[in-house]
Amino acid sequence: MFDKLDDLLRRFEEITNELSEPTVTDNQTRFRALMKEQSDLTPIVEAYKEYKKCNNDIKDSLEMLEAENDEDMREMLKEELSDAKKRVAELEQELKILLLPKDPNDDKNVIVEIRAGAGGDEAALFAAEIYRMYVHYAEGRRWKVELINVDEIGIGGMKEVQFTITGQGAYSVMKYESGVHRVQRVPETESGGRIHTSTCSVAVMPEVDEDIDITIDEKDIRIDVMRASGNGGQCVNTTDSAVRLTHYPTGIVVYSQTEKSQIQNKAKAFALLKSKLYDMEQQKRHDAEADLRRSQIGTGDRSEKIRTYNFPQGRVTDHRIGLTIYKLDKVMNGDIQEILDACIAADQAAKLTRMNEE
């Protein structure tokens, strides 16, 4: 590990020197690549430098202890030594986590798709609440949310909704939301007062950038334009602005109607289709690599029930990591960071265990 850290430290210094050259901005592609690499290496380098400093502090404290006779000074030195040793242990663990292989999609924006599952209208109402939960969470992080398509029902529910979340590292945290979400409560539509269980599925896909080669052949696509449907509003139902794409090889159908312009809806629809095709490739690779499943929390299967929201008891349980918290109201209002942090920590622990086994 420390050989690798020394190599990274040398590489960081090389990048820093190159970035200080006055001609570095002449090649903008190279400049951006260096800036990104420097940004990725900075937390590792800073932790490693602190680690080396703490080790030097330990060495200095031991030498001073041997030479010191004053008891008060010895006690102070022992305290500093203890603090430095504790910090070294913390930094070793931190460096192991920082050196874990990084998901190449972690820095990407995401496209999220929520679909109502079992439970009829109640499932659609729950899907709408999960959508609002993510909107509140994204707003709290100052990320941008943009609708691609929504299929609403009259009582405020959503049969399905697709939207983008644009923000630094969005995929690195939102990827843990993929799976089946389950709600247990007395539905507003239920007169008997019985608790029902309904579900919705969430799919989180990395937005496909130019660096990912997803080729869509024109002959494999059918493009239909139509008037947007929905609850009305200016320009809705007045122009053929909505776009539906059908991808023949996979049977994927995507729809975009949230923009007034057909061109904008077409661009959104193609972005969604590309993300779905890329996600299919990722899922195939995931299914083919049994070892990858062992390094992730849960199975990574989209059909896996990952979380239950129990309204009568005010609790939320994440089944992958055995976490239960009793602040359902806050969670439904977007306060999901505690759950996401626990998922990230569990994922890192599983990967560290696997790394130590190899």
Side-chain angles (χ1 to χ4, degrees):
M1 182 175 87
F2 295 106
D3 287 343
K4 184 173 183 179
L5 285 166
D6 286 331
D7 288 342
L8 291 175
L9 184 57
R10 279 191 291 272
R11 176 59 187 152
F12 184 81
E13 288 166 354
E14 286 171 7
I15 293 167
T16 303
N17 289 335
E18 191 170 344
L19 284 171
S20 66
E21 294 290 331
T23 57
V24 69
T25 54
D26 291 351
N27 184 337
Q28 281 296 311
T29 303
R30 172 70 176 163
F31 177 66
R32 282 193 295 269
L34 287 170
M35 289 294 290
K36 187 181 184 308
E37 191 178 356
Q38 185 188 53
S39 176
D40 291 342
L41 287 176
T42 295
I44 301 172
V45 168
E46 286 179 351
Y48 187 40
K49 284 181 177 178
E50 187 183 352
Y51 174 85
K52 292 173 85 169
K53 181 183 178 301
C54 285
N55 268 326
N56 286 332
D57 289 345
I58 290 170
K59 185 181 175 183
D60 291 343
S61 294
L62 286 169
E63 288 175 356
M64 290 171 72
L65 262 174
E66 282 187 19
E68 186 59 62
N69 294 319
D70 183 82
E71 278 306 313
D72 288 341
M73 282 296 295
R74 286 181 63 83
E75 283 303 313
M76 188 177 73
L77 287 167
K78 284 178 184 177
E79 192 174 322
E80 288 177 1
L81 182 62
S82 175
D83 290 344
K85 284 181 176 179
K86 183 181 176 183
R87 184 60 183 144
V88 161
E90 290 172 353
L91 285 164
E92 274 188 14
Q93 187 68 10
E94 189 179 322
L95 285 165
K96 285 178 184 177
I97 290 169
L98 286 167
L99 288 174
L100 285 172
K102 192 178 177 184
D103 187 331
N105 294 316
D106 275 353
D107 291 333
K108 297 188 184 302
N109 303 322
V110 297
I111 293 179
V112 184
E113 181 176 74
I114 304 171
R115 290 180 179 270
D121 286 351
E122 168 64 6
L125 287 168
F126 179 51
E129 288 175 85
I130 293 296
Y131 165 68
R132 287 191 288 272
M133 178 180 81
Y134 292 143
V135 170
H136 289 314
Y137 174 69
E139 287 172 347
R141 296 199 61 156
R142 299 192 177 183
W143 290 346
K144 182 183 176 185
V145 177
E146 199 171 352
L147 265 176
I148 297 173
N149 178 50
V150 59
D151 184 1
E152 297 176 292
I153 63 172
I155 58 174
M158 295 175 176
K159 288 182 183 178
E160 66 176 88
V161 57
Q162 291 95 19
F163 57 100
T164 60
I165 297 179
T166 305
Q168 181 63 39
Y171 186 75
S172 69
V173 290
M174 289 300 297
K175 64 185 176 183
Y176 297 103
E177 291 301 295
S178 282
V180 176
H181 296 241
R182 184 171 64 172
V183 62
Q184 294 174 330
R185 64 183 174 191
V186 178
E188 292 177 25
T189 53
E190 171 63 44
S191 57
R194 294 173 299 170
I195 294 174
H196 282 226
T197 299
S198 302
T199 63
C200 74
S201 64
V202 176
V204 179
M205 300 162 281
E207 194 174 53
V208 177
D209 296 331
E210 295 80 11
D211 61 336
I212 297 174
D213 185 23
I214 297 289
T215 305
I216 300 173
D217 197 317
E218 284 186 19
K219 70 177 188 296
D220 291 337
I221 290 284
R222 187 178 80 217
I223 302 174
D224 297 307
V225 295
M226 62 208 74
R227 293 192 177 181
S229 60
N231 297 325
Q234 196 171 14
C235 294
V236 173
N237 304 319
T238 61
T239 59
D240 291 335
S241 60
V243 175
R244 182 176 63 212
L245 301 181
T246 304
H247 187 245
Y248 294 124
T250 60
I252 293 173
V253 178
V254 297
Y255 188 71
S256 178
Q257 64 167 356
T258 55
E259 301 295 334
K260 295 175 185 178
S261 158
Q262 185 186 118
I263 294 171
Q264 290 173 310
N265 279 323
K266 186 177 177 182
K268 280 189 172 185
F270 266 101
L272 175 56
L273 177 59
K274 282 186 176 182
S275 286
K276 279 180 172 281
L277 291 172
Y278 179 63
D279 188 57
M280 282 180 69
E281 288 300 313
Q282 295 279 96
Q283 286 292 308
K284 282 180 191 173
R285 198 173 298 122
H286 169 270
D287 292 340
E289 296 172 7
D291 283 346
L292 181 60
R293 279 200 292 274
R294 290 197 298 120
S295 73
Q296 294 177 331
I297 58 166
T299 64
D301 191 332
R302 285 281 156 77
S303 63
E304 179 188 13
K305 289 184 177 67
I306 65 165
R307 197 173 298 148
T308 296
Y309 305 75
N310 185 293
F311 276 70
Q313 296 177 19
R315 66 174 167 84
V316 180
T317 300
D318 196 293
H319 305 293
R320 299 164 295 178
I321 56 176
L323 173 72
T324 297
I325 57 175
Y326 290 88
K327 54 175 190 180
L328 178 62
D329 290 348
K330 288 184 177 179
V331 167
M332 297 311 295
N333 202 36
D335 187 4
I336 59 173
Q337 194 62 55
E338 181 181 345
I339 300 171
L340 293 172
D341 286 344
C343 288
I344 291 166
D347 195 19
Q348 289 172 343
K351 286 175 180 173
L352 282 172
T353 300
R354 183 183 171 217
M355 189 171 71
N356 292 333
E357 287 173 356
E358 292 175 349

